[in-house]
Structure formats: structure tokens, C-alpha cells
Amino acid sequence: MRLGEVVVDVTPLRAGRDFRLVFATQAISMLGTHLTSVAASLQIYHLTGSTVQVGLMSLVLGLSLLVGLVAGGVLADRVDRRRVVLVTRAVTAVVIAGLAVNAALPDPQVWFVFVAAVLAGGTSGLGGPAMMAATPSLVAPGQLAAAGALTTLTAQLGGMAGPSLAGVIAAGPGVAWCFGIDAAVYVVGLALLAPLPPLPPEGSGEAQHPLKAMAEGWRFLRSSQVVAGLLLIDVCAVVFAMPYALFPELGTEKFGGDTAVGLLYTAPAVGSFFGALTSGWTGRVHHTGRALIGAVAVWGAAIACFGLSANLWLALTFLALAGLGDTASEILRRALLQHYTPDRLQGRVGSLWLAQATAGPSVGNLEAGLVARALGSSGGAAALGGVVCLAGVATLTLAMPQLRKATLHGPTGVEAAAAPVEAVPRPSDSQP
């Protein structure tokens, strides 16, 4: 295999101006988002001295984001997606500018930060499905995996650089500058996205009650073995084998202190970044479904081995391997989801995927903490979670043959995804 077939495929960037504009917007937006996230947490802690208040702010933000995602999925399938993205980003820019002004006041108000979290989370949720649903209209069908890999790369770069940069700025000029820079980033993003053409969804002229529209999305999910399988296999990974809540105890009690804790959090991100850089194969592999199953299995096996590791560097190696598998899984899942979903349902199905990506890790970290308390061992909880993940993947592989056969190659992806309703387990049946 040539090097050009392994490194991240930049064909979508060369092929069209519109995707380049979206990519540039997402790249700078991820950096700005981390600036605001870290700055808001620091400000709440400095103003209240309470980690509970910091956690409450994160909860408020997460809940408002989930509500926005559900509503945004319906909206993205009803009106012009370009307009939804521009309006929601403009509102978010105003909210973040308000945070900058509040932080610059002699006596910043805690209540305003909470209100801003609700507004920013809700508007970001409203715009998220529209941005995701727009991608299939901006790239060729065969470039969905490559586009997903580039999107993932922007997230990894932002996740690696954003928090550190936020800490430097907060310690220097102050948190108001973090908010101000993010607001400016949103304005730049608006300027980049403004030249995009209108992106109306198919069937956008249909008058349908929002609840009926949401029900239609769920019916499609239940009738498509591939799409249901994509969501369920992610449940196996993020709910049953999510180790992040275990890092503080493992780092301090098993691996030697706070420095080890930081390394544990960093290792998966390093693996994910390397996975994104070497993702060129994801758009070329013919048996996409099998590759996805293998990637999730790598995550589960690596987490199980991490839990059993007695040496810090061995544990870090397995976490980096888990991050690599997670990135490959995310790229393939995103591409298959967009390939097998009709355009008129892209927003609603995408909102379910984004909602799961938002809520799943939180549930998984809570589950990991509870299991660790029950077993009396964080390492044992991680190992057990990895084994359960592998068992879930094996079960889905046997129960959902269409997921195994899924591929990004071929013109009949949506039709091939359809399976008898009774043969498809409901997503709720696999929830813990």
C-alpha cells in the first residue's frame, strides 16, 4: 500500500470551494469552542470557588445542547440548511460576545454565564444537524469518508491545542479575551460560510407537524438495519467501555500522581490524531461495515488491556491504540450514516447521531464510576467494560448481517440498508 493511500485524503478540499469553506470554518471553530469551554469553567470556579457549580454549568450546557439537537434535526430537514447554519452561528456569536463583556466587568455575574450556556448550547444544537446534513451535498458520494476524516482532524487539532491555549490566555490577558477571540472566530466563520449556495433539503416544502417529522426519523431508524446498527455499535463503545472517569484514581493511586493523570487523558487524543492523519484507507476499503466492526473491536480490546496494565507506559500505549480505533470508527460511522440516509432525513438522523455522541460518553463515564465502586477497582472496571464492549460488538455482528455487508461503494446504499422492521432491534432495547 502506497503512502498516499494511507495518509488523510484531501481530495474533498481540492475538489470544491464549498467544502473548503466549511472545513476552514470548522477548523477555527473547534479552536474557539475550546477557548470558551475552558474559560467558562475557570470563570465559574473563580467566582464561586465550587467545583459543583462548574459541573452544574456543564450539565446545563449539555442539556440545552441535547434539546437543540433534537429540534435542529427537524429544522434541518424543513428549511434551507445554509440559512439555519448562518442564523444559529450569528446568535451564538452575540451570546459569546456577551460573555466577553460580562467577564470584563469589575463584578462579573455568575447567573449570566449560566444563561449564556443555555442560549449557546441551544443555538449550537439547532445548527449542528444542518451543518452535518449539508456535507453530502458538498462532496461527491465517494468522498464521504474522506470528508469525515478531515472533519475529525479539525476536532482533534482543536482538542489538542484549544485547552492549552485557553489556559495561557486566561492566565495572561484573562478569560474575557478567550470569549472575545471565540466571538471573533464566529464572525470570521460567518464570512467564510456566506458564499455557500442555498442548501434546501429534499421535500422541504412538505407541511408536517414537528412531532410527526421526528416520528418519521425514528421509523426510518427502526427500518434500516445499517443505520440502527451504527448507533447501537457506538453504544457498545461509549457506554460500556468509556474509561475517562477512571483516570484520576488510576493515575494517582496506580501510576504515580497527577502527572500520570494528565498523560492518561492525553494518550487517547494522540492516538486519535494519528488515526485521523492515517485515515486515507477509510474511503477505499470495500467492506466498510466489517472495517467499522473491527475498529470498534480495537477500541474494546485496547480498553480491556489498559485496565489490566500494571505499567504506565503500557497503559498509555493501549489508550493511544484505543484512540486510533475510535477515530477510525467515527469516520466510518459518519460516512455510512450519510450514505445510507435519504437527503430528506439527513437532519433528523444526524441529530440522533450527534445527540448520542453528546450524551453517550457522559452515561458511560457514570457507568464506569459505578462499576469501579462496586468492584473496588478502577482497573477492573475498565477491563470489564472492554470485555462487555467486545461481547456487544460480537452480538450485533451476528444479529445484523446488513451492518456487516454495509459499504460506501455502490449506488444503492439507501435501498440496501432497508431491512424488515421485526428483524431490527430497537435502539432502546440495547440501552443499559
Side-chain angles (χ1 to χ4, degrees), residues 2-423:
R2 297 192 302 269
L3 179 63
E5 295 176 341
V6 175
V7 297
V8 62
D9 186 358
V10 297
T11 302
L13 294 176
R14 295 198 302 263
R17 179 209 64 169
D18 293 340
F19 183 77
R20 287 197 297 271
L21 295 175
V22 171
F23 174 81
T25 301
Q26 290 176 324
I28 62 174
S29 294
M30 288 305 303
L31 184 64
T33 295
H34 285 286
L35 289 179
T36 289
S37 177
V38 173
S41 297
L42 284 173
Q43 186 179 34
I44 289 291
Y45 183 74
H46 289 326
L47 293 176
T48 66
S50 170
T51 55
V52 174
Q53 292 285 348
V54 176
L56 183 60
M57 192 267 298
S58 297
L59 176 63
V60 167
L61 178 63
L63 290 176
S64 61
L65 180 61
L66 284 175
V67 173
L69 286 172
V70 173
V74 176
L75 190 64
D77 289 339
R78 178 167 294 191
V79 300
D80 177 46
R81 290 161 180 166
R82 171 184 174 274
R83 187 186 310 165
V84 173
V85 170
L86 291 177
V87 171
T88 54
R89 291 184 67 86
V91 173
T92 305
V94 172
V95 173
I96 295 176
L99 281 171
V101 173
N102 179 64
L105 294 175
D107 186 21
Q109 299 298 307
V110 174
W111 66 264
F112 185 84
V113 181
F114 279 88
V115 171
V118 173
L119 294 175
T123 52
S124 295
L126 282 173
M131 179 69 88
M132 182 175 175
T135 301
S137 302
L138 301 178
V139 300
Q143 297 173 4
L144 285 175
L150 290 167
T151 300
T152 302
L153 187 61
T154 65
Q156 297 303 330
L157 284 171
M160 292 174 66
S164 300
L165 182 60
V168 172
I169 295 174
V175 295
W177 279 84
C178 291
F179 296 132
I181 292 172
D182 191 20
V185 164
Y186 269 92
V187 173
V188 172
L190 284 171
L192 289 172
L193 295 176
L196 291 179
L199 298 169
E202 293 180 3
S204 57
E206 300 175 3
Q208 192 178 27
H209 191 279
L211 293 179
K212 289 185 177 180
M214 292 170 60
E216 183 183 8
W218 277 104
R219 284 196 300 271
F220 170 75
L221 177 65
R222 293 180 57 188
S223 68
S224 171
Q225 197 173 98
V226 172
V227 175
L230 293 173
L231 297 181
L232 287 173
I233 201 168
D234 191 44
V235 169
C236 295
V238 301
V239 173
F240 300 130
M242 181 55 62
Y244 292 93
L246 309 174
F247 288 171
E249 180 179 345
L250 286 170
T252 55
E253 301 297 330
K254 187 176 181 179
F255 294 126
D258 292 347
T259 300
V261 176
L263 291 173
L264 292 177
Y265 278 108
T266 302
V270 172
S272 294
F273 182 67
F274 181 76
L277 284 179
T278 58
S279 60
W281 63 273
T282 56
R284 299 181 176 91
V285 62
H286 182 74
H287 299 291
T288 315
R290 296 178 189 176
L292 167 64
I293 291 168
V296 181
V298 167
W299 165 270
I303 294 300
C305 293
F306 158 72
L308 298 174
S309 299
N311 176 273
L312 173 60
W313 294 106
L314 186 62
L316 294 175
T317 300
F318 283 122
L319 285 176
L321 181 61
L324 190 151
D326 182 51
T327 292
S329 166
E330 180 182 349
I331 293 169
L332 295 172
R333 279 185 294 113
R334 180 192 292 265
L336 286 170
L337 189 81
Q338 293 174 332
H339 183 68
Y340 280 86
T341 302
D343 183 76
R344 63 185 179 83
L345 293 171
Q346 285 281 349
R348 280 163 283 180
V349 175
S351 72
L352 294 175
W353 189 79
L354 291 170
Q356 179 174 284
T358 301
S362 298
V363 175
N365 279 312
L366 175 60
E367 181 266 345
L370 293 174
V371 173
R373 175 178 294 182
L375 295 178
S377 169
S378 291
L384 179 60
V387 171
V388 173
C389 172
L390 289 173
V393 170
T395 301
L396 288 174
T397 301
L398 295 174
M400 294 184 158
Q402 292 300 323
L403 180 62
R404 296 198 308 269
K405 299 175 183 177
T407 179
L408 294 172
H409 304 278
T412 58
V414 173
E415 291 80 3
V421 174
E422 62 270 16

